[in-house]
Amino acid sequence: MSTGPAPVPSVVPEVRGAHLVGSVNLPDAGAVFGAVSAHLGDRLRRIPDGEVGERFYWIQFQTKRFDTVAGLSRIPVEPYYLRGIFDGRPFQLDAGVAAGDLVFPDLGYAEAALASYAEFARLREAGTIAPHIRFQVSLPTPAAVIGAFVVPGDRAALEPAYERALLGELTRILDGIPHEDLAIQWDTAVEFALLEGRIEPWFAEPGTAGVLTGVVERSVRQAAAVPDDVEVGYHLCYGDVEEQHFVQPADAGNLAAVIGGILADAPRPITFFHLPVPIERDDPEYFAPLAALDLPESTELYLGLLHHEDGVEGARRRAAAAATARPRFGVATECGFGRGPSERTAGLLDLHAAVAEAW
């Protein structure tokens, strides 16, 4: 692993386009759409609403929905809190309750998407948002929510029940937003904790090939749930709790394995993949597993190599190393930046523009 500038590779990177993972620290969806369009309008193909409001800490707000479900309860220990807001105690099925009998409330994703799309459509009509840009809705995978918030012994039973509820939210989104305006992003993070052995899988023996098989099977189901006339992509993530990965990836091997599995088995085209690049990884070895991917010309690849700590210089150093494996890609931050300080937002948008050429 390099700690200084990497050797100049023989391939010059072609950096086209930028991608926003989801969360942006601005007051509301209208502010996000306006700021992003002003800074990055010709670099983007889709814009999220910033995951404003209760969604600011990714899936944590789902625990408040779980608190309302009869038959689910938190384990009986002293509460502990993330940022003093979110109770971290996991949930378990109550004695004698079948997971299939649980009734989940509205999960909040469809309600937020439909409200934000109305603002998106208004600003596009006013000329603020370019006509080619789609509205991006970021959804967590069911495994993310179940793996994060449910005790290990109940995860296998609860995953199908929560998956039905989440796909119900997706159906409402698909019914309420014109398909030609829509892109769905599946946020795939807990799956890498499973692959890296940080969370015990409930669908395969730990450390076996069955874990990757189960991750890919779930990802393929998510792709299949999105109609062909709606874009679909994946944000692959190694976690971002208080700006820290749950483990630092040794290289992009597990990321490449998941991408390859999805491309091989998905029943529809995949529009884009986004994956993280840790700040210290300016060595070609990190990116080497990506070279073998048979990535279709129509599938966009975004590398999360933008970091506020070292700006344009660090991003270009990591881009040069990435080009040894994939000469053409777009750029992004490793994860959303809605939980960072608000004064960082404009500079991060400008960093995207400085590193990426327009499409």
Side-chain angles (χ1 to χ4, degrees):
M1 184 183 301
S2 172
T3 57
V8 178
S10 59
V11 180
V12 176
E14 183 183 353
V15 182
R16 292 286 175 182
H19 181 72
L20 296 179
V21 171
S23 63
V24 178
N25 193 340
L26 288 171
D28 52 47
V32 173
F33 295 142
V36 170
S37 295
H39 288 258
L40 291 173
D42 63 344
R43 306 305 205 267
L44 295 172
R45 287 181 165 169
R46 51 201 71 88
I47 301 180
D49 69 356
E51 297 178 5
V52 294
E54 67 176 354
R55 294 169 295 143
F56 84 98
Y57 216 108
W58 193 38
I59 57 176
Q60 290 294 329
F61 79 104
Q62 288 296 281
T63 62
K64 297 182 182 296
R65 302 299 200 275
F66 277 33
D67 278 326
T68 71
V69 178
L72 281 182
S73 58
R74 295 184 187 266
I75 63 171
V77 298
E78 187 70 20
Y80 53 95
Y81 293 91
L82 178 63
R83 288 203 178 183
I85 302 171
F86 301 107
D87 187 344
R89 293 174 299 163
F91 291 85
Q92 61 187 1
L93 274 170
D94 293 341
V97 174
D101 294 335
L102 297 177
V103 178
F104 286 92
D106 286 352
L107 301 179
Y109 290 106
E111 180 181 8
L114 296 174
S116 292
Y117 175 72
E119 181 67 2
F120 175 93
R122 184 186 73 80
L123 290 174
R124 187 178 58 185
E125 180 67 23
T128 300
I129 297 174
H132 73 278
I133 291 178
R134 291 192 181 220
F135 174 55
Q136 176 183 314
V137 175
S138 302
L139 296 174
T141 64
V145 175
I146 296 303
F149 301 138
V150 175
V151 296
D154 287 336
R155 288 170 184 163
L158 275 167
E159 185 185 15
Y162 183 79
E163 182 171 327
R164 286 192 294 273
L166 186 62
L167 291 180
E169 298 280 310
L170 174 62
T171 296
R172 289 176 58 197
I173 293 166
L174 295 169
D175 288 346
I177 297 176
H179 288 193
E180 65 271 17
D181 288 349
L182 183 61
I184 299 294
Q185 173 181 281
W186 290 105
D187 292 343
T188 308
V190 169
E191 286 81 352
F192 290 93
L194 295 167
L195 288 164
E196 295 282 357
R198 297 303 298 268
I199 295 178
E200 185 171 329
W202 55 94
F203 49 82
E205 287 296 317
T208 67
V211 182
L212 175 61
T213 298
V215 167
V216 170
E217 286 175 348
R218 284 159 172 77
S219 300
V220 168
R221 282 206 304 272
Q222 292 145 22
V226 180
D228 287 358
D229 56 351
V230 175
E231 292 186 345
V232 68
Y234 295 83
H235 157 49
L236 308 181
C237 186
Y238 266 71
D240 188 43
V241 176
E242 300 303 289
E243 299 187 285
Q244 294 292 322
H245 293 316
F246 48 76
V247 65
Q248 290 290 5
D251 57 29
N254 279 331
L255 296 157
V258 171
I259 293 171
I262 294 171
L263 290 173
D265 294 346
R268 55 149 297 158
I270 306 301
T271 312
F272 64 88
F273 290 99
H274 165 273
L275 58 143
V277 180
I279 189 169
E280 69 275 12
R281 300 310 297 265
D282 58 7
D283 54 304
E285 289 76 14
Y286 177 81
F287 302 95
L290 301 176
L293 283 175
D294 185 14
L295 202 68
E297 185 68 26
S298 59
T299 299
E300 303 159 26
L301 179 67
Y302 293 97
L303 303 181
L305 49 74
L306 304 180
H307 292 265
H308 68 88
E309 294 93 337
D310 61 6
V312 172
E313 188 277 331
R316 288 182 174 157
R317 193 173 65 245
R318 288 181 286 275
T324 62
R326 307 297 311 188
R328 190 173 193 270
F329 51 84
V331 294
T333 50
E334 285 197 297
C335 198
F337 44 91
R339 295 180 292 280
S342 59
E343 57 267 24
R344 199 185 283 170
T345 298
L348 281 170
L349 295 176
D350 288 338
L351 177 59
H352 287 73
V355 177
E357 299 294 332
W359 282 106

